[in-house]
């Protein structure tokens, strides 16, 4: 086929029905996992019928989901960490001892590889420059992702001034939406999505504030309200979706900002460490003296 699967999925995400967008969004974020999926397994994850998955595949030019998988090699190339005999052996072992941790390990490694691949994109470079240079950076997270957002904001505060973890108690997000200071917004969110995340992103983008959304592969509304969407795999054969890879993505963004800021950031890091030593102190630190 002349049109790559990635292009067909992107078109479906922008032009398809609600169900089509959900399926396309999931497939787009999990291309490397599709060889191991069935129409039924995708239907269960996206919460549509198996017949809907089949109709979707036909709508983007494939005879069936199996036909779609047959054309995958041209789109994903050779990925030995997923396609090798080693994976097959791990799968066989998991079947024999009723353990799914081996498969979970492979899924998590593959998810992390995909995050590292994101760092080579133009989108990534644009976000890193923005986080390094924009006057104010606001970070938001809701429900269980609140902790990841706070960790990201605290780490970024070591590197630069003007970083704020958004106040959820105020109820109006005025520190971002009413201020005249140039700002950008980073949101961490995974299903089941908080209504606040979607509304905040839409309001910010409508006000001309760049929005970066870090989310999972099931989020079918992100592209409509964010300038960049970094969708990571969260299903790694655990009883609950894991956002560990989302935290890894945040760490890589922090590293990118550090590299963008250059040597000048060293003075801020040193001063911040000195202040922590003065006010709080570190275990086993013979140098910093806590103020009396």
């Amino acid at each position: 086929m002349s049109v790559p699967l990635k292009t067909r999925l992107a078109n479906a995400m922008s032009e398809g029905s609600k169900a089509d967008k959900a399926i396309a969004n999931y497939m787009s974020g999990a291309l490397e996992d599709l060889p191991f999926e069935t129409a039924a397994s995708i239907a269960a994850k996206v919460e549509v019928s198996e017949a809907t998955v089949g109709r979707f595949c036909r709508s983007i030019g494939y005879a069936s989901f199996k036909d779609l998988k047959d054309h995958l090699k041209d789109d994903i190339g050779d990925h030995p960490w997923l396609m090798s005999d080693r994976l097959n052996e791990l799968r066989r072992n998991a079947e024999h001892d009723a353990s799914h941790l081996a498969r979970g390990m492979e899924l998590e490694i593959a998810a992390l590889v995909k995050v590292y691949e994101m760092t080579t994109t133009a989108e990534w470079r644009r976000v890193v420059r923005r986080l390094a240079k924009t006057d104010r950076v606001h970070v938001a997270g809701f429900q269980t992702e609140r902790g990841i957002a706070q960790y990201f904001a605290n780490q970024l505060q070591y590197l630069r001034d003007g970083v704020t973890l958004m106040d959820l108690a105020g109820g109006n997000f005025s520190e971002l939406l009413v201020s005249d200071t140039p700002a950008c917004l980073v949101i961490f969110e995974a299903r089941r999505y908080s209504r606040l995340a979607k509304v905040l992103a839409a309001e910010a983008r409508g006000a001309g504030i760049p929005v970066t959304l870090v989310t999972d592969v099931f989020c079918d509304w992100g592209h409509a309200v964010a300038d960049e969407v970094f969708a990571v795999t969260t299903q790694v054969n655990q009883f609950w979706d894991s956002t560990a890879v989302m935290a890894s993505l945040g760490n890589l963004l922090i590293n990118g900002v550090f590299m963008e800021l250059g040597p000048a950031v060293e003075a801020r890091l040193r001063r911040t460490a000195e202040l922590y030593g003065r006010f709080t102190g570190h275990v086993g630190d013979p140098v910093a003296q806590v103020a009396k």
Side-chain angles (χ1 to χ4, degrees):
M1 290 190 173
S2 58
V3 181
L5 173 58
K6 291 180 181 178
T7 302
R8 295 168 186 268
L9 293 176
N11 291 338
M13 279 190 284
S14 62
E15 301 170 1
S17 65
K18 182 177 180 180
D20 286 350
K21 288 179 180 178
I23 296 169
N25 194 72
Y26 173 75
M27 287 187 177
S28 180
L31 278 178
E32 292 89 348
D33 298 330
L34 292 185
F36 310 105
E37 298 274 17
T38 65
S41 67
I42 289 179
K45 291 174 180 176
V46 185
E47 298 181 351
V48 298
S49 69
E50 187 174 347
T52 300
V53 175
R55 283 195 296 270
F56 169 78
C57 293
R58 291 191 292 275
S59 73
I60 62 173
Y62 300 95
S64 62
F65 181 61
K66 182 178 182 302
D67 183 43
L68 183 151
K69 291 201 293 183
D70 289 342
H71 289 86
L72 268 177
K73 185 174 178 59
D74 293 335
D75 290 276
I76 66 176
D78 294 323
H79 289 270
W81 53 84
L82 281 176
M83 308 297 289
S84 66
D85 291 338
R86 181 170 174 269
L87 174 62
N88 293 329
E89 182 65 25
L90 284 167
R91 287 167 61 84
R92 284 194 294 271
N93 290 341
E95 290 172 0
H96 291 156
D97 65 8
S99 169
H100 53 263
L101 290 181
R103 173 62 175 151
M105 179 188 69
E106 283 293 318
L107 289 171
E108 199 151 11
I109 290 172
L112 189 57
V113 169
K114 283 190 282 187
V115 169
Y116 272 84
E117 289 174 343
M118 291 177 189
T119 66
T120 66
T121 64
E123 273 190 325
W124 185 276
R125 292 189 291 272
R126 181 170 67 242
V127 172
V128 165
R129 285 193 296 270
R130 186 187 302 145
L131 293 178
K133 305 299 184 183
T134 305
D135 289 355
R136 300 287 304 180
V137 177
H138 294 269
V139 184
F142 306 89
Q143 304 175 107
T144 54
E145 289 70 51
R146 179 69 171 172
I148 296 176
Q150 180 167 359
Y151 177 77
F152 180 79
N154 290 160
Q155 293 288 88
L156 195 57
Q157 285 166 349
Y158 269 83
L159 302 183
R160 51 153 296 168
D161 195 15
V163 179
T164 303
L165 180 68
M166 296 199 70
D167 176 22
L168 306 187
N172 54 32
F173 302 110
S174 59
E175 66 268 37
L176 171 69
L177 300 174
V178 180
S179 174
D180 293 328
T181 305
C184 62
L185 172 65
V186 180
I187 297 177
F188 292 85
E189 181 66 321
R191 65 175 185 175
R192 299 178 61 187
Y193 314 102
S194 170
R195 175 183 171 276
L196 283 174
K198 184 176 180 180
V199 173
L200 174 60
E203 287 286 337
R205 197 177 190 193
I209 299 167
V211 178
T212 302
L213 175 64
V214 181
T215 185
D216 57 32
V217 298
F218 301 100
C219 181
D220 60 355
W221 49 265
H223 291 280
V225 296
D227 295 87
E228 301 90 15
V229 178
F230 296 126
V232 305
T233 299
T234 54
Q235 287 198 322
V236 291
N237 272 17
Q238 298 178 17
F239 85 100
W240 212 330
D241 287 4
S242 170
T243 53
V245 178
M246 193 177 289
S248 295
L249 187 148
N251 287 339
L252 287 172
L253 281 175
I254 294 293
N255 184 71
V257 172
F258 174 82
M259 300 300 290
E260 182 74 19
L261 291 173
V265 77
E266 185 178 350
R268 181 180 177 88
L269 288 170
R270 186 186 307 111
R271 178 57 176 155
T272 302
E274 288 173 353
L275 288 171
Y276 190 91
R278 183 167 177 78
F279 283 102
T280 304
H282 296 90
V283 173
D285 187 350
V287 179
Q289 295 297 316
V290 178
K292 303 300 184 184

